[in-house]
Amino acid sequence: MTILRISGLLLILATLTGCETVSDFFEMGDEDDPQQPAELIDLDQQLDVRKLWSVGVGDGQGDGLYKLQPVIDGNVIYAAAAEGEIRAVEREGGSTIWRQELDIGLSGGVGLYEDSLFLGGSDGLVMRLDAKTGETLWTSEVSGEVLAAPQGNGRVVVAQTYDGKLYGFDYESGERLWRYDSNVPVLTIRGTSTPILDGSVVYAGFASGRVVAFEALDGTVRWEARVAIPQGRSEIERIVDVDGTMALAGTELYVASYQGRVAALDTRTGRKIWQRNVSSFYGVSQGFGNVYIAEETGTVTAFLRNGQGVRWEQPALAWRGLSKPVPVSSYLAVEDYEGYLHLLSQVDGEFLARVRPGNDGARADMLADGTVLYVYTNGGKLIAYDIRPRS
């Protein structure tokens, strides 16, 4: 068994068949280790971070290193657990609207379009559910685990599998319309980037370090862009997965890869508008004219959206296995592997507050709406925080 120590994310995966998994282990206690997680320093709490409510959702991410992503629709937030529980929660008060228990394990979700939810099963299934009741409308088979939320647009549902395939299904019937096969490297990070379905176009990132744009209806490739080029002699050194969340703003698509780059792509052509060398697992977000990324090293960086360089860097969370930074109001939220939630200024990266939703961390991207931040912990706690300046 190959033992890897890479930043705080549990890796690592697959053979060329895309099925066999290799586990990862960590040792955090070596004082001479240059990747020793930074100790947290006391800070002056400049924000009021008030817990509004908390609700349990099954076993959360379970034991499969999944990243089951909640989603907001109006006054409802939907969340799913690895054991098969799906819950619709009233966003303002946290009360349960409905709850369903599926008889299958879940590995990808939750996608949303109007009155439908989309989920992926750990045994190679894609499902469409009624968002008002949780009733299953159809189920279709795919070739492997679906590790990110499927997406729909009223005509097509797209889903990406761990073995490098992207599928398109008929929205109403679940009939398979098309399939795209990518080349899967010998080793990849355990995960896939969530496809973005924008109108009639699908953007998907792959373990090869490429982002591909497709026609949603028939899977025709519009363009391909290489975000990262594999380098090094060993297969580990050559991992360049695009696994983190991509961000779309107008005609620009922001994407990051492991051991590769963060780049801004023109969605019409795939041309790189700008790029910078960086290594990240959990992807990018944007706000205040910045593109935010938590690097593998634990440095949180704000790149200028216009490509003119770095606005600020915050290195004080070195090697703490950070989540994707998420803008909330005028702040930036990021969680570490010990479950601490850090709030930074979007202007200069200064630390403004810290709370601890739990001690098990949160792989799922946090969600924000106005001054409210929603955190879904690995253990299954869905928590709402209201964040405001102190009087």
Side-chain angles (χ1 to χ4, degrees), residues 210-334:
R210 293 178 182 271
V211 174
V212 185
F214 303 88
E215 293 288 348
L217 285 177
D218 59 13
T220 302
V221 174
R222 281 193 171 195
W223 52 256
E224 295 187 21
R226 181 178 286 281
V227 177
I229 300 174
Q231 298 181 11
R233 296 183 177 180
S234 72
E235 295 299 338
I236 295 173
E237 292 174 323
R238 295 176 62 81
I239 297 174
V240 290
D241 290 46
V242 177
D243 273 357
T245 305
M246 300 181 289
L248 182 64
T251 60
E252 294 185 5
L253 180 68
Y254 304 102
V255 58
S257 72
Y258 176 64
Q259 297 186 145
R261 301 185 181 101
V262 58
L265 306 178
D266 186 322
T267 59
R268 296 161 295 190
T269 63
R271 179 182 64 86
K272 291 190 186 74
I273 301 168
W274 58 262
Q275 62 184 12
R276 298 287 186 277
N277 291 333
V278 78
S279 178
S280 179
F281 297 111
Y282 282 137
V284 299
S285 58
Q286 58 89 24
F288 269 39
N290 301 327
V291 174
Y292 301 109
I293 192 166
E295 299 185 33
E296 176 200 3
T297 61
T299 295
V300 181
T301 304
F303 293 93
L304 291 165
R305 266 188 61 183
N306 61 14
Q308 296 303 305
V310 173
R311 187 182 299 276
W312 53 258
E313 292 180 313
Q314 177 52 265
L317 299 174
W319 302 107
R320 293 193 63 85
L322 302 182
S323 68
K324 187 191 83 170
V326 173
V328 51
S329 186
S330 57
Y331 317 115
L332 190 68
V334 63

Side-chain angles (χ1 to χ4, degrees), residues 158-228:
V158 295
Q160 190 167 351
T161 54
Y162 178 52
D163 58 357
K165 296 178 176 61
L166 184 72
Y167 291 82
F169 299 94
D170 181 83
Y171 183 88
E172 294 296 338
S173 68
E175 177 187 0
R176 193 178 91 184
L177 301 176
W178 54 268
R179 186 182 81 179
Y180 172 83
D181 295 351
S182 68
N183 294 322
V184 181
V186 175
L187 287 180
T188 73
I189 296 172
R190 179 170 174 76
T192 61
S193 177
T194 301
I196 293 178
L197 188 48
D198 183 39
S200 63
V201 184
V202 183
Y203 305 102
F206 294 95
S208 61
R210 293 178 182 271
V211 174
V212 185
F214 303 88
E215 293 288 348
L217 285 177
D218 59 13
T220 302
V221 174
R222 281 193 171 195
W223 52 256
E224 295 187 21
R226 181 178 286 281
V227 177

Side-chain angles (χ1 to χ4, degrees), residues 42-70:
D42 293 335
L43 59 86
D44 178 22
Q45 295 278 125
Q46 301 179 47
L47 303 176
D48 282 325
V49 184
R50 181 169 62 95
K51 182 188 288 188
L52 300 176
W53 52 261
S54 174
V55 63
V57 185
D59 65 345
Q61 306 297 345
D63 298 325
L65 305 182
Y66 297 131
K67 185 184 173 184
L68 290 154
Q69 178 67 45

